Amino acid sequence: MRRIVTIAATVVALLTGAGCGGEQQHKATAAGSPSVTASPTPSPTPSLSDSPAPSPTPSLSDSPSPAPPPKPTPAWTPCNVDLESDSGGCQNDFLTGDTCDAAYYSKALGSNVLDLLIDNRDYVDEKRLQDCPQFLADWKKAKTAITEGSYEVGKEIKPGTYQTIAHIIGGKVTDCYWERSRNGRTIANDFITATKKVTVTVRSTDEMFTSRNCGNWIRVS
């Protein structure tokens, strides 16, 4: 009976000691340094060397320079009066040549362009004269001019005031005869031995106007 009690006391003592030791161990752990909860590892910040290199911005010197616009080809340039026509000189004939060339050639040699335009008006290329506008004023006068001969008023010439052009080209009118007539009868006429210029007004009631040896006339009004 005594042996059983002794064994039981021993078991109780062992259990009590184990309990105390466990409690002390728990208290020691609690009194120690607090445990650190592991935080998530942050993602690494990309360095500048890891980022893609930006595309280089082209400089002004790298961009191609725009090509300058081509210079317009002049419609006509003054011809060279010192050269023959077949060597690149002036086409000095109104009939077979160039109207601008012929007018320029005449002026360069001292001839009066107005007088020549009147004499050659059937061969003048009016469209071509747009390329040498310095001659357009003379051409405007030449289109309504009168040369030698007789003209039917209202059909071949317009009524108005006409004037000889000898004074324009530095000459005189000599031995000039002009006449206004109707139904074969002379209304007015004159014979001029010598003068700088002659002015005649042709009326709408006139039938014919005649000019002999007076040179060319232009309509002034």
Side-chain angles (χ1 to χ4, degrees), residues 131-208:
D131 298 327
C132 47
Q134 63 266 44
F135 304 120
L136 286 176
D138 284 335
W139 173 239
K140 184 178 180 180
K141 297 175 183 178
K143 289 195 293 184
T144 59
I146 300 173
T147 59
E148 297 288 310
S150 296
Y151 300 88
E152 186 176 356
V153 179
K155 291 186 177 180
E156 296 177 305
I157 64 170
K158 293 181 178 181
T161 301
Y162 292 82
Q163 192 174 85
T164 56
I165 68 169
H167 66 288
I168 297 177
I169 62 178
K172 291 184 178 182
V173 177
T174 59
D175 301 328
C176 164
Y177 176 78
W178 62 266
E179 178 184 296
R180 294 167 46 219
S181 62
R182 183 176 180 82
N183 297 327
R185 300 180 60 180
T186 299
I187 299 174
N189 65 341
D190 198 3
F191 181 82
I192 299 98
T193 303
T195 188
K196 287 186 176 181
K197 61 183 176 181
V198 181
T199 303
V200 176
T201 298
V202 177
R203 304 186 183 279
S204 59
T205 53
D206 296 343
E207 183 180 9
M208 301 292 295

Side-chain angles (χ1 to χ4, degrees), residues 20-128:
C20 293
E23 185 179 354
Q24 289 175 355
Q25 184 178 1
H26 177 71
K27 290 180 180 180
T29 303
S33 299
S35 61
V36 178
T37 304
S39 59
T41 304
S43 300
T45 303
S47 64
L48 294 177
S49 59
D50 295 334
S51 58
S55 301
T57 302
S59 63
L60 294 177
S61 59
D62 295 334
S63 58
S65 300
K71 293 182 179 180
T73 302
W76 174 82
T77 54
C79 54
N80 190 338
V81 298
D82 296 328
L83 298 176
E84 296 295 334
S85 296
D86 57 359
S87 301
C90 295
Q91 305 295 318
N92 56 5
D93 186 274
F94 280 98
L95 178 60
T96 60
D98 181 274
T99 295
C100 286
D101 273 4
Y104 177 78
Y105 181 86
S106 301
K107 184 176 182 179
L109 295 185
S111 300
N112 185 268
V113 174
L114 173 59
D115 206 30
L116 291 169
L117 288 174
I118 294 172
D119 291 341
N120 296 277
R121 59 186 170 183
D122 291 339
Y123 311 115
V124 170
D125 184 352
E126 184 171 9
K127 185 177 179 180
R128 176 59 166 160

